[in-house]
Each structure stands twice: as C-alpha cells, then as structure tokens.
Amino acid sequence: DTAVSQTPKYLVTQMGNDKSIKCEQNLGHDTMYWYKQDSKKFLKIMFSYNNKELIINETVPNRFSPKSPDKAHLNLHINSLELGDSAVYFCASSRPGLALNEQFFGPGTRLTVL
Amino acid sequence: KNQVEQSPQSLIILEGKNCTLQCNYTVSPFSNLRWYKQDTGRGPVSLTIMTFSENTKSNGRYTATLDADTKQSSLHITASQLSDSASYICVVSAPKAAGNKLTFGGGTRVLVKP
C-alpha cells in the first residue's frame, strides 16, 4: 500500500526516558513533517525536512531531534520525556508543486508519559 | 497573529440531514485553504483544497466555499451518513515563499446519529 506509516501506534513510557518514533513514506515525496496534536486537538508543526534538509523548526525544545536518513524516512527522537510531551504525533509528507503541496498524514503515534 | 477559528466546536445531526461548518482565518499571506477529515484514531485526510481565486469546490457530498475577501470558508455536508462522524479541520497554507506553512483550526466534531 502506498502511504505514510508510523511506528509505534501507541507508546507509554516513564518521565525522563528517551524514545523514538519512526516514519516512512513510499509516495515518492521529498518533504516530510512532524506535527503534534494536543488535547485540544490543535495540530502544530514541529519540523519539516526537504530532501533530508531541515527547513522548518518551530520553537521546539532541543530534547526533540528529528533525523532523516533518506528522503523516505523522518524519525523523531525525544530525550528526557516530560509529562507535557503526552500527545498524538503525526508524520506527513508532500511534494511541493503537486496539488498545491497537499500533505498526506500518517495514522499518528499516541505518546503517554507517566 | 495568524489564526484559524472554526465553529461550531461540535454538532450532532441525524443521518440524512445536511450541515454546514464555518471557518474564519486571519492568516496572511495566504496561498490556499484546505478542509481535512479526521476519523477518531486516524490521521487527517484531505477533502478539498482551494486557492484564493476559487469560490467553491466539491468532493462527493462535501462542498467547500471560500470568500477570500472576508476570509471565511464553509464546508457543507449533504445527506449525512454515519461514516461522516469525524472531526473536520480547516487549514490555511502560506505561500511557498513563506515555507508553505500550515495553520490549523481546532476542528469541528461532527456526530451523525441514525
């Protein structure tokens, strides 16, 4: 199936731990994103990568470090997890110039920090 | 401050009825406006994308309108079905020169009852 996939779907961990969320897209897109959806359901951009290069970094704590090994992958590593990091994290991808840069979203990863 | 506000926050309608969701935005500069549908536990899926020169766009039973002068958009759902139960999110995109940044509304939760 052509899609944006994320693993894991659910992640429950203790405060202070380090965790990673993986994202892969097989749509041939060259731009990938990470979004955070808080309890009020607002989606906010965290990072954007184009061809493995960081192009958007929206005032995110440096505990969050995205890594793009290639155009099809954008992983999110979080150090020293805090209670406020609990949210649903969505990965997305797009190809600028295609349908007004329409973004395709993954299914989300629900992170719960205890 | 760039904002996207949606109303109502939630609504309940009977199967087969029509409903209209509203979106007001202050985002500038503006490139296009999108409506996404987000099912519970899933990522958002694009319904329509409109540029400032488009007044209306349809996707099946979904019809979006845009008034770029008043910075208002609406999403009309015709003959609602149980599968229309979801959150509907209005998203405004900045131009490519501004990084194609998306600003998300908080969504309208629609519940269709039999």
Side-chain angles (χ1 to χ4, degrees):
Chain A
D1 290 341
T2 55
V4 180
S5 58
Q6 296 177 227
T7 55
K9 187 165 177 61
Y10 300 96
L11 182 55
V12 181
T13 188
Q14 297 287 335
M15 218 169 40
N17 284 349
D18 303 338
K19 291 294 178 184
S20 292
I21 306 172
K22 295 185 176 181
C23 177
E24 176 181 2
Q25 56 92 7
N26 59 6
L27 297 165
H29 293 165
D30 47 19
T31 304
M32 296 184 72
Y33 313 79
W34 275 109
Y35 288 89
K36 179 180 181 180
Q37 188 171 40
D38 59 26
S39 57
K40 294 184 178 180
K41 303 301 183 184
F42 279 93
L43 272 153
K44 293 182 181 177
I45 182 79
M46 299 174 66
F47 300 102
S48 171
Y49 267 73
N50 180 268
N51 284 322
K52 298 171 35 178
E53 184 178 336
L54 180 67
I55 56 174
I56 293 177
N57 181 343
E58 286 287 314
T59 321
V60 178
N62 56 17
R63 298 183 295 104
F64 290 79
S65 53
K67 286 183 172 54
S68 182
D70 55 58
K71 280 191 345 180
H73 296 83
L74 181 62
N75 303 324
L76 183 64
H77 188 76
I78 315 171
N79 289 327
S80 303
L81 279 156
E82 300 177 356
L83 294 177
D85 297 333
S86 295
V88 182
Y89 293 84
F90 287 98
C91 177
S93 72
S94 69
R95 190 196 310 167
L98 178 68
L100 299 173
N101 195 35
E102 180 180 357
Q103 295 186 16
F104 293 79
F105 287 80
T109 295
R110 181 174 293 276
L111 171 64
T112 302
V113 182
L114 303 175
Chain B
K1 182 180 178 182
N2 287 335
Q3 286 187 313
V4 177
E5 294 184 353
Q6 294 186 240
S7 62
Q9 278 194 323
S10 62
L11 68 95
I12 300 173
I13 58 174
L14 292 177
E15 188 178 12
K17 298 296 185 183
N18 304 334
C19 67
T20 301
L21 316 179
Q22 301 292 340
C23 173
N24 296 335
Y25 62 93
T26 59
V27 176
S28 181
F30 168 88
S31 172
N32 58 78
L33 184 144
R34 308 141 187 240
W35 283 93
Y36 281 87
K37 178 186 179 187
Q38 185 176 17
D39 292 311
T40 301
R42 307 288 292 273
V45 175
S46 179
L47 292 175
T48 63
I49 300 178
M50 292 181 291
T51 65
F52 65 88
S53 61
E54 296 176 287
N55 299 122
T56 185
K57 183 162 282 189
S58 292
N59 179 356
R61 295 178 297 100
Y62 301 103
T63 300
T65 66
L66 174 64
D67 185 333
D69 291 330
T70 61
K71 297 188 177 180
Q72 296 179 326
S73 176
S74 67
L75 180 70
H76 187 76
I77 305 175
T78 303
S80 60
Q81 300 177 358
L82 297 180
S83 59
D84 293 330
S85 295
S87 284
Y88 292 85
I89 305 173
C90 177
V91 185
V92 178
S93 175
K96 184 177 181 180
N100 294 118
K101 185 178 174 182
L102 301 184
T103 303
F104 289 76
T108 294
R109 291 175 189 74
V110 174
L111 176 61
V112 181
K113 288 192 169 182

